[in-house]
Amino acid sequence: MKQLTFASAAWSAKGKTTRRERFLAEMNAVVPWARLVALIEPYYPKAGRGRPPMPPARMLRVYFMPLWFNLSDPQAEDALYDIEPMRRFAGIELAEDQVPDETTILRFRHLLQQHRLAEAIFSQGRKRLEERGLMLKEGTIVDATIICAPGSTKNAKQARDPEMHQTRKGKNWYFGMKLHIGTDPRGLVHGVASGPANETDISRLPELLHGQERQILGDSAYWSKEHRRRFEQAGMRYRVARRPCAGRALSEHQKRINRIRSRARAWGEFPFHVIEHLWGFAKTRYRGLYRNTVRAVSMFALANLYRVRYRLLPAGAQCVL
């Protein structure tokens, strides 16, 4: 047992459970911490003559919280000093433990990028859902969204990010990257891909399929006669919204079929709702596609667990920090 400070003792006696506290308690209960720490430990720095490294389990928790609350590294360090529920989630007691500074948080993030550990975290999260029978493999919903990047050139290099591009959607222009996902019929993500915003949605389709589908759903951006023929020959139902041909509009029957397919395809929008609207990843934070993709992959892994958290918890379980 750690020695509590007066502030921690007073916080423990409060009469209300905040939404942040409840959210952190639920995620603490459903994330497979032991599996994820085991992935990181082989690459994590070992204690030597210098300052001993932070425990990897603590740094993993500190890495996740900025994803949930849309914090930069300096903001994450300040939040650990300011917010008691976040310190408890990370296992930090100010009287005994050292709070990771922004440089330590940065280096841990770079460690995950260097060894592609975000992809391993995503795979472990997906594996846990498969073990619990929560991820279905009968079909795949494919979808994409644009994550905007800063378009200003008022920076050290006086240039926009060279890996980002602009594209037109409707009557509006966007500059940034595009995230592509493949989900099961309930909207749980099993495949993630990324690219510049100007690439076509259909170009990433093969990366989003797991190979055991009996049907595929998507909006009209994924429509292709060649794909339809090939998938139907393989015994799969091709339920992608039909796109009108040049000079010929869709018939009323085709429009009705598109509306029916859209209701099933709508489940693929929920992961984007979680990471963009609930967790704030509507704009890139780093320069370059890969660093932002690592952030997205980690967030989709956590979004899967968040969306089925009540089914992962034991019946009658009470989550506390």
Side-chain angles (χ1 to χ4, degrees):
M1 295 294 291
K2 293 184 177 180
Q3 181 68 37
L4 294 180
T5 63
F6 288 113
S8 298
W11 184 85
S12 299
K14 66 182 176 49
K16 176 181 174 62
T17 301
T18 65
R19 285 179 294 177
R20 179 189 284 115
E21 182 185 356
R22 183 166 55 250
F23 168 79
L24 290 175
E26 290 171 352
M27 297 306 293
N28 181 57
V30 300
V31 174
W33 297 109
R35 293 185 181 186
L36 302 188
V37 172
L39 293 174
I40 297 170
E41 282 183 332
Y43 307 98
Y44 199 73
K46 303 299 187 292
R49 294 183 178 180
R51 186 176 64 177
M54 295 281 180
R58 177 178 300 167
M59 291 307 304
L60 183 63
R61 291 168 179 268
V62 172
Y63 169 72
F64 284 162
M65 285 189 286
L67 302 180
W68 292 325
F69 302 115
N70 195 24
L71 304 174
S72 65
D73 297 337
Q75 289 172 333
E77 179 187 357
D78 291 346
L80 289 172
Y81 281 104
D82 292 339
I83 303 173
E84 178 67 22
M86 295 180 70
R87 286 198 299 272
R88 293 206 172 193
F89 180 80
I92 296 173
E93 181 57 54
L94 289 179
E96 298 183 7
D97 301 313
Q98 184 178 5
V99 175
D101 59 22
E102 60 179 278
T103 303
T104 303
I105 299 172
L106 171 69
R107 288 173 177 169
F108 184 81
R109 180 161 50 81
H110 286 177
L111 177 75
L112 300 186
Q113 295 170 4
Q114 179 183 356
H115 300 287
R116 307 188 71 88
L117 294 175
E119 292 87 336
I121 290 173
F122 179 83
S123 298
Q124 280 295 332
R126 184 179 62 188
K127 183 178 179 181
R128 187 183 185 196
L129 298 184
E130 292 173 350
E131 291 172 351
R132 295 291 298 270
L134 297 175
M135 183 167 285
L136 306 177
K137 294 189 176 181
E138 63 183 28
T140 289
I141 304 171
V142 289
D143 205 353
T145 191
I146 297 173
I147 304 296
C148 294
S152 173
T153 60
K154 295 180 180 180
N155 51 55
K157 296 185 178 180
Q158 297 184 346
R160 299 193 298 184
D161 190 336
E163 297 185 23
M164 307 293 173
H165 289 274
Q166 66 180 16
T167 187
R168 185 177 180 180
K169 186 175 181 181
K171 296 182 179 181
N172 299 319
W173 286 90
Y174 299 90
F175 176 77
M177 63 182 292
K178 186 174 287 187
L179 284 178
H180 310 258
I181 59 171
T183 78
D184 77 347
R186 294 174 180 169
L188 298 177
V189 182
H190 59 70
V192 182
S194 67
N198 63 339
E199 71 177 9
T200 59
D201 293 358
I202 200 171
S203 64
R204 296 286 181 165
L205 180 60
E207 301 175 52
L208 307 177
L209 305 179
H210 53 66
Q212 302 180 35
E213 295 91 353
R214 294 199 297 270
Q215 66 176 351
I216 177 174
L217 299 95
D219 60 25
S220 58
Y222 294 93
W223 170 262
S224 166
K225 288 185 178 180
E226 176 61 26
H227 283 181
R228 179 184 181 184
R229 181 187 61 80
R230 188 166 70 247
F231 285 129
E232 289 181 346
Q233 287 179 350
M236 295 171 56
R237 296 180 62 191
Y238 190 74
R239 300 183 63 194
V240 175
R242 185 183 291 269
R243 187 164 47 198
C245 300
R248 187 174 65 181
L250 296 178
S251 66
E252 289 301 319
H253 175 68
Q254 291 171 333
K255 291 180 181 178
R256 186 167 60 253
I257 292 176
N258 278 358
R259 287 194 293 269
I260 294 172
R261 291 175 176 177
S262 294
R263 287 196 288 269
R265 180 182 57 81
W267 285 96
E269 300 283 353
F270 284 92
F272 292 132
H273 169 70
V274 173
I275 71 164
E276 290 186 82
H277 299 287
L278 298 186
W279 296 349
F281 187 30
K283 194 170 186 177
T284 61
R285 183 173 291 278
Y286 316 112
R287 289 179 69 88
L289 280 173
Y290 181 66
R291 285 185 287 183
N292 288 289
T293 302
V294 167
R295 183 186 181 195
V297 169
S298 300
M299 294 183 78
F300 280 124
L302 296 169
N304 282 347
L305 298 172
Y306 173 76
R307 293 193 57 228
V308 296
R309 62 194 185 281
Y310 297 127
R311 302 185 66 179
L312 290 172
L313 292 172
Q318 183 178 8
C319 298
V320 294
L321 286 176

